[in-house]
């Protein structure tokens, strides 16, 4: 995956909300509370002697990401490309100990409502930019239907950095998928994933993680705990089994 995945624990984090919470004001208030809770949880975990770093991402490395269509606005091209996208906390690359290959990483200033910046990976450079330096270029981000109906109104983002390939391609799919990262306030979009880098075996920290989470907020939902390097193993095993069954039945 491009980093020491065996040293990281992936955790799905959510928060209990009232089942009748359907009005927008309640949802906004719940998410604002979730943002504050996650920051408190981060500080508590970072103070633990067994934790090296804590960060947040909407989809874990090597798992399926949201796919979007992009267009290079700075090159005035009509061609569009499908890329994998991820919303990350500005600390993401620092915690993964993977500084940008060129350009810069995200900062807290990039979380502003008017900010329009992205970071791309090496697969993006190779497949979309054809080896050219993307830093300073601009791209439009949308869906296929939005581009079909006219892309002029789509938001334009500045590419500010390049990182190595860090798991934007799912384990179960062949080839490299070009990746684009967006800075996101952790928790502002609801449930997400937390990644912890630990000093020892990541899974041994799970009981303590649950204790800390319960202390910070008893309504926090902690689940899908797995070491990052083991993500996708179950899917690969199932696909292999299904292939063997299919071959057997065909024979």
């Amino acid at each position: 995956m491009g980093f020491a995945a065996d040293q990281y624990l992936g955790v799905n984090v959510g928060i209990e909300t009232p089942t009748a919470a359907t009005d927008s004001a309640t949802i906004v208030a719940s998410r604002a509370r979730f943002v504050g809770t996650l920051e408190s949880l981060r500080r508590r975990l970072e103070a633990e002697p067994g934790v090296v770093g804590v960060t947040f991402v909407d989809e874990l490395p090597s798992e399926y990401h949201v796919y979007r269509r992009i267009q290079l606005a700075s090159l005035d091209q009509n061609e569009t490309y499908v890329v994998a996208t991820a919303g990350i906390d500005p600390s993401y690359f620092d915690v993964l100990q993977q500084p940008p290959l060129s350009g810069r990483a995200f900062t807290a200033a990039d979380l502003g409502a008017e900010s329009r910046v992205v970071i791309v990976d090496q697969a993006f450079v190779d497949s979309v930019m054809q080896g050219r330096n993307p830093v300073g270029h601009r791209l439009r981000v949308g869906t296929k239907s939005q581009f079909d109906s006219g892309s002029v109104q789509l938001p334009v983002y500045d590419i500010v950095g390049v990182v190595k390939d860090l798991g934007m391609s799912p384990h179960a799919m062949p080839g490299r998928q070009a990746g684009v990262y967006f800075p996101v306030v952790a928790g502002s979009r609801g449930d997400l994933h937390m990644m912890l880098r630990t000093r020892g075996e990541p899974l041994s920290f799970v009981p303590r993680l649950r204790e800390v989470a319960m202390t910070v907020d008893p309504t926090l939902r902690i689940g899908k705990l797995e070491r990052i390097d083991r993500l996708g193993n179950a899917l690969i095993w199932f696909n292999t089994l299904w292939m063997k069954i299919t071959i057997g039945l065909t024979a």
Side-chain angles (χ1 to χ4, degrees):
M1 297 185 204
F3 63 99
D6 60 327
Q7 299 176 15
Y8 291 81
L9 180 68
V11 186
N12 180 259
V13 185
I15 195 168
E16 299 292 344
T17 55
T19 55
T22 56
D23 61 286
S24 58
T26 303
I27 294 174
V28 169
S30 176
R31 289 190 175 177
R33 174 186 162 222
F34 189 33
V35 169
T37 299
L38 287 178
E39 190 54 38
S40 298
L41 179 62
R42 186 214 301 261
R43 290 197 299 268
R44 287 291 302 275
L45 290 173
E46 287 177 339
E48 291 289 318
V51 175
V52 178
V54 181
T55 191
F56 300 97
V57 61
D58 58 4
E59 299 296 342
L60 292 171
S62 83
E63 294 199 325
Y64 286 98
H65 290 70
V66 174
Y67 290 91
R68 303 288 296 275
R69 193 169 289 272
I70 63 99
Q71 183 182 63
L72 293 171
S74 55
L75 297 181
D76 195 26
Q77 293 181 347
N78 293 323
E79 186 175 1
T80 62
Y81 306 85
V82 176
V83 299
T85 63
I88 63 173
D89 184 84
S91 65
Y92 187 72
F93 300 120
D94 184 47
V95 172
L96 264 58
Q97 297 187 321
Q98 297 298 324
L101 300 175
S102 64
R104 67 173 178 85
F106 292 135
T107 68
D110 296 321
L111 297 173
E114 301 303 317
S115 177
R116 290 285 187 274
V117 295
V118 295
I119 290 175
V120 301
D121 63 12
Q122 187 62 46
F124 183 98
V125 175
D126 296 340
S127 62
V128 178
M129 299 298 301
Q130 300 297 309
R132 291 169 295 191
N133 183 9
V135 176
H137 282 276
R138 312 181 76 198
L139 54 84
R140 293 187 179 93
V141 182
T143 63
K144 185 178 187 303
S145 60
Q146 288 174 322
F147 278 104
D148 289 343
S149 60
S151 61
V152 178
Q153 304 301 321
L154 291 174
V156 178
Y157 294 80
D158 294 312
I159 302 175
V160 297
V162 178
V163 294
K164 66 189 295 187
D165 295 349
L166 296 171
M168 292 292 269
S169 302
H171 269 324
M173 292 182 64
R176 297 166 67 205
Q177 181 66 57
V180 177
Y181 296 91
F182 297 82
V184 174
V185 176
S188 61
R189 298 180 180 179
D191 292 12
L192 78 171
H193 294 87
M194 177 171 60
M195 290 178 62
L196 295 87
R197 183 166 186 256
T198 62
R199 299 186 189 281
E201 165 57 46
L203 291 173
S204 67
F205 187 74
V206 169
R208 180 55 182 162
L209 169 61
R210 293 189 183 278
E211 291 177 6
V212 173
M214 180 64 68
T215 302
V216 171
D217 190 334
T219 65
L220 273 177
R221 289 185 285 103
I222 302 294
K224 195 181 177 182
L225 298 94
E226 186 57 273
R227 215 170 69 184
I228 298 298
D229 64 321
R230 296 179 180 175
L231 294 175
N233 285 358
L235 180 59
I236 292 174
W237 175 86
F238 177 80
N239 287 347
T240 303
L241 176 63
W242 183 254
M243 180 181 67
K244 290 180 179 179
I245 292 173
T246 303
I247 292 174
L249 291 175
T250 303

